[in-house]
Amino acid sequence: MRRILTTLAILATLSLAGCATDQRNDALTTTLNAYASTVRWGDFATAQQFVDPKVREAHPVSTLEMARYQQYKVSGYDEGKGPTPHGEFEVTQVVQINLVNVNTQSERTVTDHQTWHYDAEGKHWWLVSGLPDISRQ
């Protein structure tokens, strides 16, 4: 009888852990899709809301930087192979973003190395690497 109760307790614990993992993975998928959609529309002001609040506070986006984002239209957003897990609460992703300068109509590609961290307390994924750096050539 004791063995059966121990086995049931272990199974219950594993199933709860599995549910937490499923919820975390679902939240990651939802967050990455919403962020990608926001960037595809070129809405970098809203995309900034995906950035970890501590990172936003430490590295605020200047008015000049926001004006630079508005100078471009996004013509492509390619996640490549998708997110790569680094431990239980962090994933990285390399994204190719195609940008068209609205003034010159020239297109270029920016590689965005994203790092996402899961806040277990808030049950939320945050972008800790910040918005893509579009100032580099």
Side-chain angles (χ1 to χ4, degrees), residues 3-128:
R3 189 176 295 169
I4 292 172
L5 289 176
T6 303
T7 303
L8 287 175
I10 291 171
L11 288 174
T13 302
L14 290 174
S15 69
L16 288 176
C19 288
T21 301
D22 288 346
Q23 289 174 345
R24 190 171 53 245
N25 289 340
D26 290 346
L28 175 63
T29 301
T30 301
T31 300
L32 291 179
N33 287 340
Y35 179 77
S37 179
T38 302
V39 172
R40 280 185 181 107
W41 281 102
D43 188 357
F44 289 99
T46 300
Q48 188 175 5
Q49 300 306 309
F50 289 85
V51 177
D52 186 312
K54 294 173 196 155
V55 174
R56 279 186 300 208
E57 185 178 324
H59 306 284
V61 177
S62 70
T63 306
L64 176 63
E65 289 171 308
M66 268 311 191
R68 187 174 290 128
Y69 285 115
Q70 292 173 351
Q71 186 178 351
Y72 291 93
K73 295 293 181 190
V74 177
S75 60
Y77 186 94
D78 182 15
E79 296 101 341
K81 64 179 182 154
T84 303
H86 293 279
E88 193 174 352
F89 299 110
E90 186 172 286
V91 298
T92 59
Q93 175 171 257
V94 178
V95 176
Q96 300 295 319
I97 303 172
N98 298 333
L99 301 168
V100 176
N101 185 309
V102 296
N103 298 314
T104 64
Q105 293 301 300
S106 61
E107 185 177 34
R108 65 189 183 98
T109 301
V110 173
T111 302
D112 185 24
H113 297 272
Q114 300 173 359
T115 302
W116 294 86
H117 181 76
Y118 186 70
D119 174 13
E121 190 174 302
K123 297 184 184 338
H124 194 286
W125 284 94
W126 292 107
L127 179 62
V128 293

